[in-house]
């Protein structure tokens, strides 16, 4: 642990029990009305639970304020060549008293992780090139709109995947 962290702490809120990486920097945090904290770091968004866990910026599909912070996390469901196929999990909602600083920080990091994006209107697929926090290089990802199945996403990106692999 560096001297700065030993002297001044890691910037996480009191009571935060997540295990930050040595090079992980806390950018913002806010208490959640139901307990715990949302903690924005250089590597991802820490969400409360029995054990706080970090969602990497490259796995956040959507974030929006709707009277509560709505976060949609994606999981890596499959691959098509060098393209990772994502599926969205159900949205998580976090009731916050003052979301401004955290919402801005989250939005900046999610958008900042995107290097390129393309929309395939039929069947409704987003193809993204994203930076993974804490790693060199980028990853290609594809995510279907609500109701678009994994096989339809695979078919939609198969040509791109072939070009990237070749």
């Amino acid at each position: 642990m560096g001297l700065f962290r030993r002297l001044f702490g890691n910037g996480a809120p009191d009571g935060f029990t997540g295990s930050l990486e040595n090079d992980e920097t806390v950018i913002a945090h806010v208490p959640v009305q139901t307990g715990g904290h949302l903690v924005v770091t250089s590597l991802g968004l820490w969400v409360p639970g029995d054990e706080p866990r970090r969602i990497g910026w490259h796995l956040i599909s959507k974030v929006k304020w709707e009277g509560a912070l709505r976060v949609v996390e994606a999981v890596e469901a499959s691959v098509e060549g060098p393209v990772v196929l994502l599926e969205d999990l159900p949205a998580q909602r976090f009731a916050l008293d003052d979301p401004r600083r955290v919402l801005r920080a989250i939005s900046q990091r999610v958008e900042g992780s995107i290097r390129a994006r393309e929309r395939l209107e039929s069947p409704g697929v987003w193809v993204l090139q994203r930076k993974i926090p804490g790693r060199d290089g980028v990853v290609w990802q594809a995510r279907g709109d609500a109701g678009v199945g994994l096989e339809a996403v695979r078919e939609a990106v198969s040509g791109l995947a072939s070009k990237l692999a070749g």
Side-chain angles (χ1 to χ4, degrees):
M1 179 184 288
L3 178 61
F4 184 84
R5 278 197 180 181
R6 281 199 304 262
L7 293 174
F8 300 105
N10 61 13
D14 290 341
F16 176 72
T17 58
S19 297
L20 299 176
E21 298 291 326
N22 285 333
D23 60 346
E24 189 171 7
T25 305
V26 173
I27 296 158
H29 56 80
V30 65
V32 176
Q33 290 177 0
T34 56
H37 290 83
L38 287 178
V39 179
V40 177
T41 74
S42 52
L43 298 181
L45 175 65
W46 284 85
V47 296
D50 292 337
E51 292 290 323
R53 66 183 185 84
R54 182 180 58 228
I55 306 168
W57 296 122
H58 67 294
L59 292 176
I60 296 180
S61 294
K62 299 175 190 171
V63 61
K64 187 175 184 181
W65 180 254
E66 300 174 333
L69 187 66
R70 180 177 175 264
V71 177
V72 177
E73 175 183 2
V75 292
E76 297 176 346
S78 186
V79 294
E80 178 66 21
V83 180
V84 178
L85 308 182
L86 302 177
E87 287 185 319
D88 286 344
L89 297 174
Q92 300 174 72
R93 295 188 191 302
F94 302 97
L96 312 172
D97 289 329
D98 183 5
R100 289 176 288 189
R101 185 167 181 228
V102 166
L103 181 59
R104 183 173 41 251
I106 294 169
S107 296
Q108 288 173 341
R109 273 141 196 89
V110 169
E111 285 296 316
S113 74
I114 299 170
R115 299 297 186 249
R117 74 178 91 205
E118 182 179 340
R119 173 102 174 124
L120 305 175
E121 289 299 334
S122 181
V125 173
W126 280 102
V127 179
L128 304 169
Q129 183 186 53
R130 290 179 105 170
K131 169 84 173 87
I132 299 177
R135 295 191 207 161
D136 289 335
V138 294
V139 63
W140 284 96
Q141 299 174 325
R143 180 179 63 78
D145 291 344
V148 176
L150 193 59
E151 284 311 309
V153 173
R154 183 184 312 282
E155 288 175 27
V157 300
S158 64
L160 171 65
S162 295
K163 287 179 190 175
L164 292 172

